[in-house]
Amino acid sequence: MDAGTARIRDLVRGRGGRLRLAYTRSARGGRVDALVARFRATHPDIEVVPETAWTAPNVAGLLAGRLDVAFVRPPVDEPALACRTVDTEELLLALPAGHPLAASRRRVSRAEVVDLPAVMWPRENGPGMFDRTIAQVWPHGGFRLVRQEPDDEQLLRAVAQGDVVAAVPAGRARALRLREVRLRRFTAPTPTVDVALAWPRDSTNPALRRFLALLD
């Protein structure tokens, strides 16, 4: 009984307990991994139960009560969830090594990518990020989707085959760099995408409160 009482007291104070956390496949490393590593270091008594998916299933897991917190690609239009940006990264254009736009080191303009055959992951994986990418890279139309792949790694492999181009977050593009792919920056305005934390507004999990406190 004494042990049970002590455990309840620890949970109320934010010591012990579990944090069910989901990463998003397109955002690993950098501030994302640093934040989780800091939490593990400062709260070693809290069990972190991680998984990795895309924004849409992460949001579904939060709404279903299966997850306590998740990294997502905003915007996320769910009133039941709170969302806070933790990082912003540049979108780069991935080109086949033999593509004419890859021949120089200069930046690429939006006009130069109009109607180029492009590869993208399915919109249902992360509708907000999908729409934001298209709106920034192809603001006047001309997005010619000819192929879909499940994630950034497969996008880059498709580009390496020499038939398509892709807009990819800088972190993943550089981490997954392939010899047959060239990365180029866009001319101003620089296209960017955010990484955010999302969690249920009505959560009473003390471990979550400890995790969110690191954001401050």
Side-chain angles (χ1 to χ4, degrees):
M1 184 179 296
D2 289 343
T5 300
R7 177 169 174 76
I8 292 172
R9 187 182 300 115
D10 284 345
L11 289 173
V12 171
R13 293 175 179 174
R15 297 196 296 264
R18 293 183 5 174
L19 185 72
R20 299 165 300 172
L21 177 147
Y23 296 99
T24 179
R25 291 186 184 277
S26 66
R28 290 301 307 270
R31 294 182 182 178
V32 170
D33 285 1
L35 181 62
V36 177
R38 183 182 173 197
F39 180 74
R40 290 181 186 274
T42 55
H43 300 285
D45 52 333
I46 295 178
E47 179 188 9
V48 178
V49 184
E51 61 181 71
T52 302
W54 297 280
T55 292
N58 285 355
V59 167
L62 291 170
L63 295 174
R66 189 178 57 78
L67 295 170
D68 297 306
V69 65
F71 290 98
V72 297
R73 290 291 192 176
V76 173
D77 186 19
E78 289 291 349
L81 301 181
C83 199
R84 180 166 172 180
T85 299
V86 297
D87 201 3
T88 299
E89 58 182 326
E90 186 174 353
L91 280 173
L92 301 178
L93 182 67
L95 296 156
H99 196 282
L101 292 178
S104 72
R105 292 287 182 178
R106 66 182 179 82
R107 296 191 180 212
V108 176
S109 71
R110 270 62 166 187
E112 291 175 298
V113 300
V114 169
D115 291 332
L116 290 181
V119 58
M120 193 70 166
W121 36 264
R123 184 179 181 274
E124 55 265 28
N125 288 2
M129 180 181 175
F130 187 101
D131 293 344
R132 180 171 175 176
T133 298
I134 304 309
Q136 293 182 92
V137 178
W138 290 273
H140 306 298
F143 175 54
R144 183 184 164 203
L145 181 65
V146 299
R147 179 170 173 176
Q148 287 190 332
E149 294 291 345
D151 53 36
D152 291 326
E153 181 175 2
Q154 298 306 316
L155 254 65
L156 291 173
R157 292 190 183 280
V159 172
Q161 294 174 9
D163 298 322
V164 291
V165 303
V168 186
R172 289 297 282 167
R174 288 169 176 151
L176 299 169
R177 187 182 291 274
L178 300 178
R179 185 177 60 182
E180 303 87 353
V181 174
R182 299 291 181 268
L183 302 175
R184 294 292 179 264
R185 302 179 71 187
F186 287 96
T187 55
T190 300
T192 61
V193 287
D194 296 330
V195 184
L197 270 179
W199 65 92
R201 293 183 184 276
D202 61 357
S203 174
T204 59
N205 184 352
L208 173 62
R209 290 201 299 270
R210 294 286 183 177
F211 186 73
L212 296 178
L214 296 181
L215 299 179
D216 298 325

